[in-house]
Amino acid sequence: MKAVQRSFWTGARALADKAAAVLQVGALCMRDGKDGTEVLMVKSSRGRWIIPKGWTEDHLTDREAARAEAWEEAGVLKGKVSKVPVGGYMTEKRYDDGRRLPCHVTVYRIDVRKAVKDYPEAGLRRRKWMPLGKAAKKTKDRGLRELLKGLCKQDKASAA
């Protein structure tokens, strides 16, 4: 898993075109699985598979906010957070009233050492460890899919 280090940024043109995009931080929670690198995916409030993510917070660095999202949404209690982002992607925040807000998600990698069953949003979200390739297929978020596909290709190349 250590070989998956390259940074992936998707939607750079989209970011430039959407100057009004708000910033979010995401947590790419990873571990070594039976069949290679796995990522911890969570179900969004709208039922889509995503990574834990949320708004930036004034009192936290983006890195600290990514760790907080991993805890709140996925129960990641212990893990090493990358010092710099490993990638990013464009997405949309969808509201119940139909509004859509363009967001750029800056993603930090967390090498998970311990995840627990009891966490703040355990009753609201389903979580599941998936191989990178499966996670890329399961997500409907185009930007996240491209980021995961890029990491999957790199993971396969480093395993060969």
Side-chain angles (χ1 to χ4, degrees):
M1 182 166 63
K2 295 279 187 238
V4 183
Q5 297 294 332
R6 187 172 157 219
S7 179
F8 289 93
W9 294 90
T10 62
R13 180 179 297 270
L15 180 60
D17 292 344
K18 298 199 184 245
V22 296
L23 299 178
Q24 289 191 309
V25 292
L28 187 66
C29 304
M30 302 178 81
R31 72 176 183 186
D32 289 325
K34 294 175 269 182
D35 298 318
T37 304
E38 294 179 332
V39 61
L40 186 56
M41 301 289 282
V42 297
K43 283 268 185 147
S44 73
S45 58
R46 297 177 125 353
R48 298 175 298 127
W49 286 108
I50 59 171
I51 61 173
K53 66 181 182 65
W55 306 111
T56 59
E57 299 184 37
D58 289 340
H59 65 285
L60 298 175
T61 65
D62 287 354
R63 184 173 177 243
E64 291 168 336
R67 179 188 294 276
E69 292 299 330
W71 161 245
E72 293 167 7
E73 296 185 4
V76 173
L77 189 61
K78 293 182 182 178
K80 183 177 179 184
V81 184
S82 61
K83 291 186 189 217
V84 296
V86 296
Y89 63 95
M90 287 297 300
T91 190
E92 287 183 324
K93 170 69 176 169
R94 298 172 188 171
Y95 292 95
D96 291 338
D97 64 6
R99 288 180 299 139
R100 293 177 178 218
L101 180 65
C103 299
H104 182 268
V105 182
T106 300
V107 179
Y108 288 82
R109 176 183 173 139
I110 301 179
D111 291 324
V112 177
R113 291 193 305 264
K114 183 177 182 180
V116 296
K117 291 181 181 179
D118 186 23
Y119 54 96
E121 296 185 16
L124 303 172
R125 295 183 185 273
R126 183 171 167 223
R127 66 179 182 176
K128 185 173 183 178
W129 285 102
M130 299 180 194
L132 283 167
K134 182 177 181 181
K137 290 176 184 172
K138 286 279 190 181
T139 188
K140 301 228 184 308
D141 191 307
R142 185 174 37 180
L144 177 57
R145 183 182 322 117
E146 292 305 313
L147 184 135
L148 292 171
K149 283 167 75 175
L151 288 169
C152 185
K153 286 179 188 175
Q154 183 181 351
D155 192 45
K156 285 180 182 177
S158 68

